[in-house]
Amino acid sequence: MSNYESKDILVLEGLEAVRLRPGMYIGTTGVKGLHHILWEIVDNAIDEVSNGFGNKIIITLEKDGSAIVEDNGRGIPVDMHPTQKKSGVEIVFTRLHAGGKFNNKNYGYSGGLHGVGASVTNALSEWLKVTVNRGGKKYFMEFSSFEDKKGKIKCGIPVTPLKEMGNSKGSGTTVQFKPDRKVFGDAQFESKLIAERLRELAFLNKGIILKLEDKIYNSSEEFCFNGGLKDFVYHLNKDITRLFESPLELEAEGDNLLLNVAFLYVNNYTENILTFANNIPTSEGGSHYIGFKTGFTKFMNEFARKHNFLKEKEVNLTGDDFKEGISAVLSIKANNLQFEGQTKTKLGNPEIKGIVEKLVITGLNKIFSGNRNLKIGEIIIGKAKNAAKVREAAKKVKEITRAKSSIDNYNLVGKLASCTNRKAENAELFIVEGDSAGGSAKQGRDRKFQAILPLKGKPLNAEKKKIDQVLANDEIKTIISAIETGIGSDLNIKNLRYGKVIILSDADQDGAHIRAILLTFFYRYMRELIQNGHIFIGLPPLYKVYKQKKELYVYSDNELPEAIKKIGQGYQIQRYKGLGEMNPEQLWETTMNPEKRSLIRVTIQDAEESEKMITTLMGDDITARKEYIARFANFNKEDKFLKEIG
Ligand code: 28F
C-alpha cells in the first residue's frame, strides 16, 4: 500500500512539473502551445483510428474556450491496471508518457509530437472530462486543476474515479478540456490553423474522416481523402503542368517501419518533397529523406540501364538530376523516433536511412515491374537527363562569366551593344534577328537604356534543332551572359541586367521559328523571367500605308483596311518583308520608341505553346509540323495576346 502511494505522489509531481515549466513540454504558452495541447489529444485519436479502430474524429471548438475531441475507436481501456491499480483512463491522463506511445503492443506505430501525451493537456487545463464507450457501457471521469489551501498548485487531479454511467451503443473516446487561462492567458484556438493541420492529417491517413466544428464562428469543415498521399501530391500540383497525369504511389513495410510515398514530376526545376515521420512534418528532412533519395536514384539508374533509356556510354544520373521537378510526399511510421535540429523537425535515427532506401527500391520495383509504367519511367529519365545537361551548361556559363576578362567572354559579349543605364527597371535588351537589322537597331536605339544583341539567325534556324544543341549555341550563350541571371536552378533574378528582354524577329516563318526557339529556351531555362513578366515580343509593322506626307504603320492584317480608309484615295502600300528593310529611323519610330511601339508581354501559356511547337518540329509528323509553322507564322495576328503599348 505504501508503495502504491509513493508511486502516486510521483505521478502528481510529474504533472506539477509540467505546470512549473510548460515550455519544456509544449514549447510556448502562447497560441502555439495552446494548439499543442489540442494536438496531444487529437494525436491519440489518430493513433487509434489510423490503426484500424474506427474511422472518424470530430473536433469541436466551444464558446467557453474549451475543445472537444471525439473518436469512434475502441475506447480507452477502463479496467484496473494490474500493477498501477488505476484505470487505463486515469493512467492515460495522469502519467507523463503514458498512452501507448512507446513500443506499445496496442499499436503498430504511433505518433505524438514529443510523446508527452494527453497528461500534459490535462496538467495545463482548468478541467478535463473523458467519456468512454466500451463493451456496451458508458464511462465518465473528470480531472481538474486548482490551488490547495496552502496556495499550492494542484493539477490534473481526478475529481472522481472512473464512473460507469449506464449502457451505450458503439465505442469510442470523447475528451473535452478547457485550457487554463493561468497558463495560456488570452490565447484562443484558431480554426484556420486547425483545419490546415487536419487536412494534412487526412492526407497522411487515408480514408479517415476529420471534422472540425467551430461553435464560435458557426463553421464546419470535413476532410477525408481515400487516395491518401496520392491525393496529397495531386492537391499540391493541381495548377502545375504535370509530366504525367497522376502521382505514382508506393507502400512498403519492413524492419518495423512502414513507408508510404507518392510522387510526380512537374514542369519546373525545383524539388518539392514533403516528409513526415509518425504524421509529424519533418521540414528539415533527415534520415528518411536521405534514404528515399538514395534509393530512388539507385533504382532509377538501374531501371534506365535495363530499358536502355541510359546508353552504355552515358554516365549514371545523380540525385541532383532527379530532384528537378519532383514533387513527392513521403511518410514513415516507426517507433522510437528521434527528432533533431533547431526546430525538432529533422529525423535523427541513422538506421532509418538504410531501411527506407531498401523499402523504396522494393516499392519502385513493384511500380515498374515487368513493363508497367514504362512510359512514365521514360519521362522521368528524360527529365533527369535534361537536368544533367542544363546543369552542365549552367556550369559553363558560370565559368565564362566569372572569367570576365577572358577572350571567350570578350567574344561572347562582343556582339552586344550595351546600354549605359545599369538599373534593370530602366534597361531593355533587344534580341534582333539578323545582322543587318541588328545594325539598324544599334543606330536607331536610345543608347541610354536600350541594348542590342543581333542574332545571326542561321545557326538557330536549322530545323530539328534540339534544345540542348541550342544551349551549346554561341548566340544563346551570349544571351545568357548578357542577361546575367544564370540559368536553370542557378538562376538568380536579383542579378537581372535588363528589365525588358525584347525579341525582335521578322514576321515570316523563319522569324516565327526563331521566336519559338527563344521562347522555348526561356521557358525551359529562364522561366522566372517569363513568370515575372520580363520577356516581350516586339512587333515590327507589316505595312506602311502612305500618300505624300501622310503615313500609317500597320501591325496586323486586320488593321490594314482601316488604315487604307484613313489615308484615303491614292494610297500606296509598302509591305515590310523583314526588319532589315527598315532604316534606323524607321526602326526606332515603329518598333523601338516606347512612345509608339507595340510590345507583347509573353505569358507562360505563350511559352508553353512555343515549346509544343518546338517539340512538334523535332517530331516526325510532317503535316503537324507544317501546320504549326503556319500558325506561328501568324503570331502577329492573334489578338488573344496582351498588347502592351509602351
Ligand atoms: C479523443 C481522444 O484518446 N482515443 C484513444 C484509445 C484506445 C486504447 C488506448 C486510447 C491503456 C493504458 C495505454 C483500447 N483497447 N481519443 C483518444 N483510444 N488508448 S486513446 O490504450 C492505451 C493504453 O495505457 C486501447 C485496446 N487497446 C488500446
Side-chain angles (χ1 to χ4, degrees), residues 41 44-45 48 69 71 74-77 92 99-100 106-107 134 173 175:
I41 304 298
N44 283 351
E48 179 68 4
V69 184
D71 73 47
R74 293 166 296 179
I76 301 176
V92 167
N106 287 310
Y107 298 129
R134 195 177 157 98
T173 305
V175 175

Side-chain angles (χ1 to χ4, degrees), residues 250-393:
L250 67 88
E251 179 174 320
E253 192 168 10
D255 295 316
N256 289 316
L257 189 148
L258 176 69
L259 171 75
N260 278 283
V261 183
F263 67 95
L264 184 69
Y265 271 85
V266 296
N267 208 352
N268 64 27
Y269 22 71
T270 52
E271 174 193 272
N272 184 16
I273 301 179
L274 299 182
T275 61
F276 296 84
N278 288 354
N279 289 329
I280 301 156
T282 38
S283 48
E284 292 174 285
S287 48
H288 54 341
Y289 167 75
I290 312 248
F292 167 71
K293 301 231 334 180
T294 314
F296 191 86
T297 307
K298 272 190 191 163
F299 176 87
M300 291 313 286
N301 270 302
E302 265 174 43
F303 167 85
R305 298 265 176 223
K306 187 173 148 200
H307 295 281
N308 210 27
F309 297 144
L310 205 56
K311 307 278 180 311
E312 221 172 293
K313 62 179 193 324
E314 292 177 297
V315 295
N316 263 10
L317 295 158
T318 66
D320 280 346
D321 297 334
F322 285 107
K323 83 178 183 192
E324 292 192 11
I326 194 170
S327 177
V329 178
L330 176 153
S331 164
I332 66 152
K333 299 217 169 128
N335 291 312
N336 299 323
L337 297 183
Q338 288 151 17
F339 294 93
E340 298 176 345
Q342 283 261 297
T343 51
K344 292 265 179 275
T345 54
K346 182 175 183 179
L347 186 64
N349 310 59
E351 73 282 4
I352 284 183
K353 177 191 172 281
I355 300 172
V356 170
E357 182 183 324
K358 204 177 72 192
L359 293 178
V360 164
I361 292 172
T362 311
L364 287 173
N365 255 315
K366 251 191 238 157
I367 290 179
F368 293 105
S369 71
N371 276 345
R372 285 171 63 204
N373 293 309
L374 199 59
K375 189 82 210 150
I376 291 177
E378 190 176 4
I379 292 171
I380 297 171
I381 301 300
K383 174 90 175 163
K385 282 170 96 170
N386 193 55
K389 278 178 199 144
V390 177
R391 272 191 314 117
E392 202 47 47

Side-chain angles (χ1 to χ4, degrees), residues 6 30 32 46 57 60 75 90 99 125 153 171 192 202 238 274 283 294 304 379-380 419 480 579-580 592 606:
S6 63
K32 252 193 133 170
I46 296 264
I57 299 167
T60 310
E90 187 168 343
S125 292
I153 297 167
S171 67
K192 218 182 129 194
K238 56 183 186 303
L274 299 182
S283 48
T294 314
I379 292 171
I380 297 171
C419 62
I480 297 168
L579 294 160
M592 297 173 75
D606 300 339

